[in-house]
Amino acid sequence: MPRLRPAPGGLIPSALLPPPPGGPTAAWLDEEGARLLGSARDSRVPAGFGWLGPSGRPDPARVELWVTCRMTHVLALATLRGSGDESLVDHGVASLWGPLRDATHGGWFSSVEPASRTKEAYGHAFVVLAAASATATGRPGARALLDEALDVLDRFWDPAAQMLVDEWDEAFTTIDPYRGLNSNMHGVEALLAAHDVTGDTALLDRARAITERALGFASAHGWRLPEHFTEGWEPLLDYNRDDPAHPFRPYGGTVGHWFEWARLALQLGATAGLDLVAPAAALFGSGVRDGWHADGAPGFVYTVDWSGRPVVRQRMHWVAAEAVASAAALWRVTGREDYAAHHADWWAHVRSSFVDLEGGSWWHELSPSLEPAAGTWDGKPDVYHAFQATLLPRLDLAPSLATALQPGRPPDSASAVVPADADDTMTALLDPDALVEWLPPDGMTGRFESYDARPGGSYRLVLTHPAGGGKTTDDTDVVDVRFGSVDPDRVVQEVDFESGDPAYAGTMRMTWSVLPAVGGSRVEATATGVPPGIDHLVHEAALRATLGNLAARLAR
């Protein structure tokens, strides 16, 4: 089938699943996704992606980590659907390597000019999500960012509790005693996305551990899920009673999170082979009972107390977005008509109340009378929840969004930290004597038949397999490599294997990127257009071995 081309700024109509019956059509969901994408594009500012105001204009002085990550994630998803937004994905990745990153201690600050220099699990989970989605697009620097972000997220992991802690100080020396489920919920989302991109089952195990504990808390409290906990994970049911509309730590039960946890539980179940339909349905049911029209006015209330009475009655766009996505997921797994009916009713509510056709995006907060409000959220910070709501009803429960949208084989990629600055690392990437030592994977040897490292130059390398299994002869691989570009921090090459086997035909694109790291540099190798005869997992293992050789050489 020929590849369809979108209108400028649009999305390629893709072979996604039909949405639940009775609600928006697939065509409308595509159109709304493309409209929301315009707001994401408009949010670009020099330091990342800016907070969008009520009129849809970004504030260049208000660059939050979570907003930049979410917009990068959205633009990566759109890129996978053929929107042509690769340069904006690159911008998001660069901003996460640059002004938002702590180059001294590692990790990321909450904003470009943070009021506090603490390190929060919430924001770091979104760095992992953005990097995983960007990695799925094959953009340079993305896999290295993902590996770096996973390394930092590991600092938040408490193996005894099998949960993420919420907050470190700037230097990662002191942990705040507060524990929360919001950061852990987005941690599950990020871990599932990273697992799907990397195949690392340890990430899936952590997502499962967090989810099972969260479901246990929900069950123990009548499926009204507590959000706030002590250091020992004892619920703090009165936390922020005097600040009930807090944007990240509101008092009481947060109805939208019950829908979000339900959807994530179903995704985890589909990924790990677990039956989590019953607890997901229980959380969903609580959200409907306590949230929908709970105060006699249209829409979902934001929070309720522990008897189910509304506390904050404002209508948040993200609650409605997660409700439609959760209803679609439960319909997908059960086929029940009542879930499809909820999906249709709630989309009708979204379309009549939240969608802003004049100013762009969706209103983020409405009063109980459905007028634009700003008690918790001013403006329209990002399009993450809304854009995902146009996609999730048209996808299976798993894998995660970016992996589900990949048009073909994912990029083969790996990264490693090497103990050298960028100049020395680039020298090792280009010097033929160094290359012939570190480039061959473990057990192989190499020799150059020609070498000219400049843009437009090339080399011819013969790799010898002592145990056999070559692509050119029984024990050799002969590769012809052309240099597409040679920059101070990146080398792009086009690689052809000399082989009579059509499984190794075609030109592979290799990108070697050198990025900053605490104590050295992080080198990323990304291959796209890999011939089908080269196994994805085997190739990534070979790239990791090669980068290990490079690190060992630079350590001498």
Side-chain angles (χ1 to χ4, degrees), residues 362-384:
W362 294 5
W363 295 110
H364 272 45
E365 179 178 339
L366 301 175
S367 69
S369 59
L370 302 182
E371 296 296 324
T376 299
W377 296 108
D378 62 294
K380 305 168 180 172
D382 71 307
V383 301
Y384 153 82

Side-chain angles (χ1 to χ4, degrees), residues 9 48 106 116 149 175 217 265 275 314 350 500:
S116 168
I175 300 173
F217 289 135
D275 183 359
Q314 306 296 82
V350 167

Side-chain angles (χ1 to χ4, degrees), residues 458-484:
S458 63
Y459 68 75
R460 184 176 175 86
L461 175 65
V462 179
L463 293 168
T464 300
H465 299 251
K471 302 176 187 66
T472 307
T473 69
D474 287 343
D475 62 353
T476 63
D477 289 346
V478 178
V479 292
D480 291 305
V481 178
R482 296 173 299 285
F483 287 92

Side-chain angles (χ1 to χ4, degrees), residues 323-339:
V324 298
S326 181
L330 279 162
W331 172 81
R332 185 81 54 197
V333 74
T334 68
R336 282 174 39 178
E337 293 181 1
D338 55 335
Y339 291 128

Side-chain angles (χ1 to χ4, degrees), residues 435-437 439-440 444-449 461-464 477:
L435 269 171
V436 80
E437 177 184 334
L439 186 60
M444 299 175 66
T445 58
R447 60 180 175 83
F448 287 109
E449 292 188 345
L461 175 65
V462 179
L463 293 168
T464 300
D477 289 346

